[in-house]
Amino acid sequence: MAQTRAALTRRRVLLAAAVELANHGYTGTSLARVASQAGVTLGALTFHFPTKPELAHGVYEDGAASTRAAIDRALGRSQLPLQNVIDITHEVSRLLRADTTVQAASRLSREAACTDYSWHQLWLSDIKRLADKAHARGDLGENCSAGVLCSLVVCMLARLDSPSVYTSGSMCEDLEVLSQLWCLVLGSVAASCSPALLPGGSPR
């Protein structure tokens, strides 16, 4: 029973810390404020996470695990590398809107609070691999290289990778905009002979 209570306390602390880190960044996050938001004493917080770096690392690990699991699911929805790229952008968009641990992991990586934080590479490495595979298959248009496709994806998702977006608009609106962007660019990105693609993402 005591072990269960400890696990629940640890979870509450991580969730409260994720909100703080996502909204205020590493420097602006206060352990006292995290403890207050989690409904625990500062002593209880430091029992589980003795230092601020350890707390941030715990949040990052949660966000990274959620991201990796979501990307793996997205990769299983299609056999086409270019469709996989589209599906990953939709998955990352959902994560950045709905998962505070992912929002925190992203911000920690952007702020370079620790060299171990590389959240963007969790999905960018797959984008690069899939872009190379699509190019090798002849699925990319003649004016679209693998590098251009990677840059395009980064630009598409850049707006969402910001704290100001977490509380504005809606996820449905973001996904619709993303689908519209893919509709606009697929004529140039995909070769004319490539298989039909779903700009709104594969069925989940």
Side-chain angles (χ1 to χ4, degrees):
M1 190 67 171
Q3 186 176 9
T4 301
R5 285 200 300 271
L8 289 173
T9 297
R10 186 180 189 279
R11 191 69 198 147
R12 287 205 307 273
V13 168
L14 282 173
L15 291 175
V19 173
E20 279 288 309
L21 288 164
N23 291 325
H24 303 292
Y26 181 82
T27 302
T29 291
S30 156
L31 293 185
R33 198 161 57 230
V34 170
S36 176
Q37 291 297 321
V40 303
T41 64
L42 188 56
L45 184 154
T46 54
F47 172 80
H48 292 281
F49 302 98
T51 66
K52 187 173 174 179
E54 288 176 274
L55 177 60
H57 185 72
V59 172
Y60 176 82
E61 287 297 307
D62 265 11
S66 294
T67 302
R68 192 62 256 167
I71 297 307
D72 287 345
R73 289 193 297 271
L75 289 170
R77 294 179 189 135
S78 174
Q79 298 299 311
L80 301 174
L82 191 47
Q83 184 64 57
N84 288 151
V85 170
I86 295 171
D87 293 345
I88 287 175
T89 64
H90 282 279
E91 204 62 53
V92 171
S93 178
R94 289 187 183 93
L95 289 169
L96 285 171
R97 282 306 240 124
D99 192 322
T100 53
T101 62
V102 170
Q103 294 164 8
S106 171
R107 184 159 184 172
L108 285 167
S109 298
R110 289 199 316 274
E111 294 179 349
C114 173
T115 55
D116 291 337
Y117 298 153
S118 54
W119 177 80
H120 298 82
Q121 287 304 316
L122 293 174
W123 49 272
L124 263 178
S125 58
D126 281 308
I127 295 293
K128 292 173 182 175
R129 175 181 60 80
L130 291 164
D132 286 337
K133 188 174 180 180
H135 176 72
R137 283 168 46 101
D139 289 344
L140 299 184
E142 60 181 29
N143 294 319
C144 182
S145 66
V148 166
L149 177 56
C150 291
S151 297
L152 175 66
V153 168
V154 171
C155 291
M156 281 181 164
L157 295 173
R159 186 186 71 85
L160 291 173
D161 200 7
S162 167
S164 62
V165 179
Y166 302 156
T167 55
S168 62
S170 71
M171 185 191 301
C172 288
E173 290 170 345
D174 288 332
L175 293 175
E176 180 59 29
V177 168
L178 189 56
S179 298
Q180 291 172 353
L181 287 174
W182 278 118
C183 283
L184 287 172
V185 302
L186 273 179
S188 298
V189 168
S192 57
C193 59
S194 67
L197 299 165
L198 302 172
S202 302
R204 300 182 79 201

